[in-house]
Amino acid sequence: MADKIKGKVWKYGDGVNTDVLYPGKYTYKNLTPEEIASHALEDLDPDFSKKAQKGDIIVAGKNFGMGSSREQAVTALKYKGVAAIIAKSFSRIYFRNAINQGIPAIQSEQASDAIENGEIIEIDFKNGKIITEKREFSFPSFPEKMVEILEAGGLVEYTKKKLGKN
Amino acid sequence: MGETFVQKVFSRKVGKKVIPSEIVVVEPDFVLSHDNAAPISKIFGKFGVEKIKYPERLVIILDHTVPAPTEVEAGNHKLIREFVKEQNIPNFYDVNTGICHQVLSEKGYALPGKIILGSDSHTTTYGAFGAFSAGIGRTEVASIWATGELWMRVPETIRIILKGDLPKGVYAKDVILHIIGEIGADGATYKAVEFTGELADKFSIASRMVFSNMAAEMGAKAGYFHPDDKTIEFIKDIAKADYEILKSDPDAEYEKTLEFDVSNLIPQIAKPHTVDNVSPVNEVEGTKIHQGLIGTCTNGRVEDLEEAAKILKGKKIKEGVRCLVFAASMQEYIKALKKGLIEVFAKAGCIVMNPGCGPCLGAHEGVLAPGETAISTANRNFKGRMGSREAFVYLGSPATVAASVIEGEITDPRKYL
């Protein structure tokens, strides 16, 4: 995890669920990362997978990622290059999956309200700040365990390290 | 200050007193995976370890795409069978057994006081037996296969007191839909939910499973009942391990307590496209449907099939409407067969399918075309859930679905009772 990132915002509303993030009909197809990325958010915003760039940031409302435990709902965004997700709140499993895939999931109600679609924003993880052109928002630092996982680049790398396989 | 059930479960696991919000590392007693054991085994392969740490703690049940609809799923199933053999995983259930949450329960893994984690969001179901059970991601399951452990946050608990007597035509499903409608799809995010009260005690195990299963739909990490005589009766001959009955202390600290009196409740419906978009049935009566689905891990037990069969007995479903019936497991299917329910469904014009997840997640066996509407006893109605993203899914009780397929439109089941 970099200390700071900067990216363009894709803004969505409340309750972005796992079926629109990654439709169930693809979950048991053995797709490549590129193919998985091509279905990201297709039932909510078909433009996203065509136009999103590496380093972009998703900003959304309440209960982001509600629904299934399917990890492709996270990996589809990861493979698309999404660098972070900011939401008013996250569904529990989605939050875990995001951290475990090395994507910082940041909870900030104020930032979510203020940030607009297409804006360029900066996230300073070290100091817990979201910086827009007009304002700054703070967010609490992640618990130690999550930082370790994010710093390892996700749970796979973290587990490997723990097992002494790196 | 007393402790909640959750605190007790976690304290015993880690060998010290824990408090809500604490992050602890635990070794789950059982770890569920289903058809996603195939991708999980590929993630496991990345760790560079040869053997699963505790193969006897794994439970793998094939249910999501059974029998395999295409070569892709067939390949996944084959890979899983080979992996199971190679790793000597004793608790494997193939495509002819049923839906994972029903099978894990009826095979005696869902036991009081256990921690059960699974790569399926409805892993919450085993709370019906007084277990702490929660859904996790695939990578997390793979990591447990390798290390035996996982980090968890000890959740706060919301207590839901259930009161009153169920009116005619109103079932566990209606009550939980009503609760989700009231508190919202994120009303219990990250929390454990304790279902308690006189009515909770009266509910059968099958009905309690409806609540615990759907606790996931209010964002809960776990949703549990305190074990009682009914629980013991269910598990006494099938338990796969020793267990300890743990209950919240009377002076335990809850984040909040909510009360629901069901005495005046009428059948409830979740409307497209979220589970918390709930209305009493009279507000959606008359909505035309193309398909009914009776079954799934939420409402596919013999208790549910009986309620639907009571209404469908001697009747025909509306011409042009399809009705699919999926028992939750082969064991439940056989019970239904012996009671003559399967014949009732077949004669009414329903298609009785093999036990499994079926079209609930849109993978196969009766998905919806654009513009079609279904009413289902399942737990989720998101856009695209049952096939086309231009289809509409309503959720209700087995009785409501049965009445609706007779009339070809959403119907209050009470007129048939």
Side-chain angles (χ1 to χ4, degrees):
Chain A
M1 186 173 67
D3 287 347
K4 271 186 192 177
I5 59 167
K6 200 169 185 176
K8 188 185 140 198
V9 167
W10 292 78
K11 175 94 188 262
Y12 300 104
D14 291 340
V16 175
N17 67 62
T18 49
D19 281 282
V20 299
L21 278 158
Y22 193 78
K25 59 189 168 205
Y26 306 124
T27 51
Y28 295 98
K29 307 288 173 199
N30 303 327
L31 305 183
T32 63
E34 292 74 27
E35 287 167 330
I36 290 174
S38 75
H39 296 300
L41 280 165
E42 78 174 15
D43 282 352
L44 180 69
D45 178 4
D47 262 2
F48 175 81
S49 71
K50 290 179 206 132
K51 296 184 185 159
Q53 300 292 322
K54 192 169 166 31
D56 284 358
I57 295 165
I58 288 182
V59 178
K62 283 197 294 183
N63 210 9
F64 190 85
M66 69 172 181
S68 160
S69 64
R70 71 183 65 131
E71 228 157 36
Q72 299 101 318
V74 173
T75 53
L77 301 184
K78 178 182 175 173
Y79 296 148
K80 199 67 224 169
V82 168
I85 307 167
I86 299 169
K88 285 187 184 170
S89 63
F90 289 89
S91 94
R92 187 189 72 84
I93 299 176
Y94 196 90
F95 180 80
R96 294 186 70 100
N97 283 344
I99 300 294
N100 289 334
Q101 291 297 330
I103 298 189
I106 299 163
Q107 200 166 329
S108 172
E109 194 141 334
Q110 290 140 323
S112 164
D113 275 332
I115 295 169
E116 283 168 32
N117 194 34
E119 225 179 300
I120 307 289
I121 63 167
E122 193 178 311
I123 304 175
D124 177 344
F125 294 104
K126 239 187 173 150
N127 299 304
K129 294 225 181 300
I130 299 165
I131 303 146
T132 74
E133 214 166 278
K134 298 172 207 145
R135 306 181 48 177
E136 261 188 37
F137 305 91
S138 304
F139 61 88
S141 55
F142 291 112
E144 197 188 322
K145 198 100 215 156
M146 284 179 213
V147 173
E148 285 171 21
I149 294 170
L150 285 169
E151 277 179 351
L155 186 62
V156 169
E157 294 308 315
Y158 173 82
T159 303
K160 268 163 98 172
K161 218 161 120 186
K162 208 163 144 188
L163 292 165
K165 300 285 177 185
N166 262 15
Chain B
M1 181 58 71
E3 290 179 299
T4 61
F5 158 79
V6 170
Q7 285 174 274
K8 290 186 186 182
V9 172
F10 280 88
S11 295
R12 275 165 178 69
K13 270 285 175 202
V14 301
K16 70 169 184 79
K17 287 228 178 228
V18 300
I19 51 161
S21 84
E22 196 173 333
I23 289 187
V24 294
V25 174
V26 294
E27 285 199 352
D29 297 286
F30 294 111
V31 188
L32 165 78
S33 53
H34 42 65
D35 304 43
N36 60 22
I40 293 168
S41 71
K42 290 177 191 162
I43 303 169
F44 176 77
K46 293 184 192 169
F47 296 138
V49 284
E50 296 262 306
K51 288 282 168 195
I52 286 173
K53 188 152 185 199
Y54 303 113
E56 69 285 1
R57 294 184 191 171
L58 271 62
V59 184
I60 299 177
I61 301 162
L62 300 185
D63 65 354
H64 269 50
T65 54
V66 296
T70 76
E71 207 178 323
V72 172
E73 288 85 358
N76 278 344
H77 291 170
K78 182 173 174 228
L79 188 150
I80 294 167
R81 291 184 192 107
E82 286 165 0
F83 184 78
V84 161
K85 220 175 200 175
E86 196 183 291
Q87 293 284 342
N88 289 315
I89 297 164
N91 309 320
F92 172 64
Y93 299 92
D94 214 319
V95 296
N96 56 351
T97 327
I99 309 175
C100 60
H101 304 307
Q102 179 62 26
V103 172
L104 194 142
S105 303
E106 69 190 23
K107 299 293 181 191
Y109 302 98
L111 298 169
K114 298 286 183 206
I115 294 182
I116 305 169
L117 302 177
S119 47
D120 186 278
S121 52
H122 297 108
T123 302
T124 50
T125 309
Y126 321 124
F129 302 88
F132 180 91
S133 62
I136 56 173
R138 294 175 177 183
T139 305
E140 298 186 297
V141 168
S143 181
I144 298 172
W145 286 6
T147 64
E149 60 183 40
L150 188 71
W151 68 271
M152 305 284 298
R153 180 182 170 282
V154 181
E156 298 82 3
T157 301
I158 297 175
R159 177 168 53 170
I160 294 185
I161 301 175
L162 302 170
K163 289 165 69 171
D165 284 316
L166 280 181
K168 200 172 172 186
V170 176
Y171 306 89
K173 182 63 165 290
D174 300 294
V175 179
I176 190 69
L177 286 177
H178 173 65
I179 294 173
I180 295 168
E182 289 293 310
I183 74 171
D186 60 349
T189 299
Y190 300 108
K191 313 297 179 199
V193 174
E194 178 176 305
F195 295 105
T196 186
E198 316 142 28
L199 181 61
D201 299 340
K202 280 187 211 158
F203 275 128
S204 66
I205 292 294
S207 288
R208 291 176 193 177
M209 289 172 81
V210 176
F211 282 88
S212 294
N213 179 276
M214 291 203 65
E217 302 307 323
M218 45 178 139
K221 181 172 195 162
Y224 66 91
F225 287 76
H226 286 146
D228 60 7
D229 293 348
K230 287 178 203 166
T231 321
I232 304 303
E233 182 57 33
F234 190 100
I235 60 179
K236 68 177 179 4
D237 298 329
I238 56 169
K240 285 281 198 293
D242 294 335
Y243 57 88
E244 183 183 7
I245 291 179
L246 300 174
K247 297 181 183 184
S248 298
D249 292 324
D251 59 343
E253 195 178 342
Y254 295 95
E255 183 175 278
K256 61 180 163 189
T257 296
L258 305 169
E259 276 194 22
F260 288 91
D261 188 331
V262 304
S263 306
N264 296 312
L265 198 67
I266 73 164
Q268 303 284 305
I269 301 281
K271 299 173 288 184
H273 297 285
T274 54
V275 186
D276 59 357
N277 188 16
V278 176
S279 286
V281 66
N282 56 303
E283 286 178 22
V284 284
E285 253 181 315
T287 306
K288 298 277 177 237
I289 57 158
H290 303 88
Q291 182 165 300
L293 169 61
I294 299 169
T296 77
C297 58
T298 313
N299 278 123
R301 283 165 280 280
V302 79
E303 165 183 303
D304 305 304
L305 302 180
E306 258 178 328
E307 291 303 325
K310 261 188 220 165
I311 290 173
L312 284 163
K313 191 165 187 179
K315 306 247 178 11
K316 288 270 179 213
I317 66 169
K318 181 95 173 176
E319 207 184 317
V321 170
R322 293 107 49 194
C323 179
L324 308 174
V325 180
F326 290 80
S329 70
M330 196 52 85
Q331 195 172 303
E332 293 299 291
Y333 183 95
I334 292 168
K335 282 190 213 163
L337 192 66
K338 285 186 178 158
K339 285 176 178 266
L341 311 181
I342 302 297
E343 190 179 343
V344 170
F345 294 127
K347 281 189 172 161
C350 304
I351 310 173
V352 183
M353 309 287 287
N354 58 304
C357 300
C360 173
L361 71 156
H364 69 148
E365 290 187 323
V367 299
L368 301 174
E372 286 193 326
T373 299
I375 182 160
S376 165
T377 65
N379 43 34
R380 202 167 272 161
N381 62 346
F382 298 162
K383 202 172 217 187
R385 174 78 183 176
M386 280 181 74
S388 170
R389 69 172 162 188
E390 281 135 51
F392 304 87
V393 182
Y394 291 81
L395 306 176
S397 75
T400 304
V401 175
S404 302
V405 292
I406 294 171
E407 306 225 348
E409 55 188 46
I410 295 179
T411 302
D412 187 335
R414 294 176 298 177
K415 64 190 269 196
Y416 286 95
L417 295 167

